[in-house]
Amino acid sequence: MKKRLSPVYTLRGFRRSLASIDALPQFAILGIFSGLVTGLVILAFRTAIELPLSLLLPDGDFENFEGLSTLSHLMLPALGALSIGIAFSLLKSDRQQVGVSHVLQRLSRHQGYLPTGNLLVQFVGGTLALLTGQSSDREGPAVHLGAASSSLLGQALKLPNNSIRILVGCGAAAAISASFNTPLAGVIFSMEVVVMEYSIAGFVPVILAAISATLVNQVVYGRLAAFDIPALSMRTFFDIPYVVLEGFLIGALAAAFIACVRFFHRYAPTQAWQRLTLAGLITGLMAMGVPEILGIGYDTVNHALVGELSFLILIAACLCKLVASAASVGMGMPAGLIGPTLFIGATAG
């Protein structure tokens, strides 16, 4: 007689077990697979950005937009934004939805079912935005790519809705972890922003996904963190007022950034090509005076952390990055705002 497999070891049995309160081992397996898949997707995304830039920018440095001519500082983001805008004009409105906001919307209204089409738009659009020096980051697109990849994994396996939602959280955590090489930061971001609840069934797969994605990232990029943070120490208690003052200052800048995003969103043109071209033109005009704002800008963040930038450059970079990034975010550039906020905070500090 042909021996039957136990229901536990079949795909149908695996799906049913996920609905049980004792499904923690199954969720752990999902978290590991989610992290591996997301880690590979983020590696592909980073390679699509960094490889062409290392070939095109001076000295083979994929962040060296400062080495380009002044005219290039204007034309590169402006023409790049025009090309992205024309491409977006050819898409249906629902296909233009990308980024963290799209992930949160699909979680609240569609149980975390993220479509393949938007994932492809995010991958291509985010790559073009960063290749042309838009004032944005790769972490916002990475969250969408990670969440969508994990969601599609669950959809392919025909898992129940609760599992799809947890997989979305796993993908978001894995994306941040793979981008910054910091598993704990990815877990906190996912639990606070995406999942928005703490439970054992949700926490375990999320942290396993973050660790798995980080290990995949370290195979290629090593164990170095994204930023070279010097040793921090407080010499005297008289330093505390400066820290408090810094908190108020950066809080005010955060409020100004949000106000600028809302302003650009409210008064942006309705046509995608007009809206995105205007955002790229604003970035280009700012970059003619302060080219440090182009692209991700993590090289500038590292210079600020070790005190290698002059006071005037810090002020100019902080304010220009704030306006350029607010224009990009408010007008719908397919990239994120996590990196720009780090840039603004570091230069302001």
Side-chain angles (χ1 to χ4, degrees):
M1 295 179 62
K2 190 175 180 180
K3 188 177 180 180
R4 291 186 177 181
L5 288 174
S6 170
V8 177
Y9 300 106
T10 64
L11 183 57
R12 179 180 296 179
F14 184 80
R15 294 193 200 107
R16 289 178 178 176
S17 65
L18 288 170
S20 169
I21 60 173
D22 299 322
L24 188 57
Q26 288 82 358
F27 280 126
I29 294 173
L30 285 178
I32 294 172
F33 274 102
S34 170
L36 295 175
V37 170
T38 300
L40 293 173
V41 171
I42 301 307
L43 279 179
F45 183 57
R46 288 188 63 173
T47 302
I49 297 166
E50 295 176 3
L51 182 59
L53 287 178
S54 63
L55 296 175
L56 297 174
L57 294 182
D59 302 325
D61 183 357
F62 62 88
E63 291 191 84
N64 189 21
F65 288 98
E66 296 89 341
L68 298 175
S69 65
T70 302
L71 182 60
S72 297
H73 292 154
L74 171 64
M75 299 305 296
L76 181 63
L79 294 178
L82 174 61
S83 63
I84 297 171
I86 293 174
F88 266 55
S89 298
L90 302 176
L91 299 172
K92 295 180 180 179
S93 59
D94 59 335
R95 282 287 177 260
Q96 299 178 18
Q97 304 302 314
V98 295
V100 179
S101 59
H102 173 66
V103 174
L104 297 178
Q105 181 190 52
R106 299 296 296 190
L107 267 174
S108 62
R109 299 181 183 179
H110 302 277
Q111 297 295 329
Y113 284 75
L114 286 118
T116 306
N118 295 73
L119 181 149
L120 297 176
V121 170
Q122 177 66 93
F123 191 100
V124 176
T127 300
L128 288 176
L130 292 170
L131 285 176
T132 55
Q134 307 302 327
S135 181
S136 53
D137 71 352
R138 63 172 179 255
E139 283 71 42
V143 170
H144 181 184
L145 295 175
S149 300
S150 298
S151 175
L152 290 171
L153 173 64
Q155 293 175 49
L157 296 175
K158 298 181 180 179
L159 300 182
N161 291 344
N162 68 317
S163 303
I164 299 290
R165 294 179 63 87
I166 290 177
L167 278 172
V168 170
C170 290
I176 294 295
S177 303
S179 297
F180 289 116
N181 204 10
T182 52
L184 185 58
V187 173
I188 294 174
F189 174 86
S190 178
M191 301 304 289
E192 291 286 350
V193 178
V194 180
V195 181
M196 291 188 292
E197 65 178 9
Y198 286 90
S199 64
I200 297 297
F203 182 79
V204 171
V206 166
I207 195 169
L208 288 174
I211 294 172
S212 301
T214 303
L215 292 175
V216 172
N217 177 76
Q218 289 179 353
V219 171
V220 178
Y221 293 101
R223 297 187 177 185
L224 294 177
F227 303 114
D228 299 322
I229 301 177
L232 302 177
S233 62
M234 188 175 295
R235 295 186 299 270
T236 171
F237 286 110
F238 291 105
D239 289 340
I240 293 178
Y242 293 103
V243 176
V244 174
L245 178 61
E246 180 183 8
F248 283 116
L249 170 64
I250 295 179
L253 286 173
F257 180 73
I258 294 171
C260 287
V261 170
R262 289 178 173 174
F263 172 82
F264 285 117
H265 179 72
R266 180 180 302 170
Y267 297 105
T270 55
Q271 296 295 322
W273 72 270
Q274 296 176 343
R275 186 171 66 246
L276 294 179
T277 301
L278 179 58
L281 187 60
I282 291 173
T283 299
L285 290 171
M286 296 279 181
M288 293 180 71
V290 190
E292 286 82 1
I293 69 170
L294 289 175
I296 300 174
Y298 288 167
D299 56 340
T300 303
V301 173
N302 279 318
H303 291 320
L305 286 170
V306 296
E308 294 180 352
L309 299 178
S310 68
F311 186 70
L312 291 178
I313 290 179
L314 287 170
I315 293 177
C318 177
L319 296 178
C320 290
K321 187 72 170 181
L322 188 150
V323 175
S325 300
S328 295
V329 174
M331 296 189 187
M333 192 69 68
L337 54 78
I338 298 174
T341 56
L342 294 175
F343 184 106
I344 295 167
T347 51

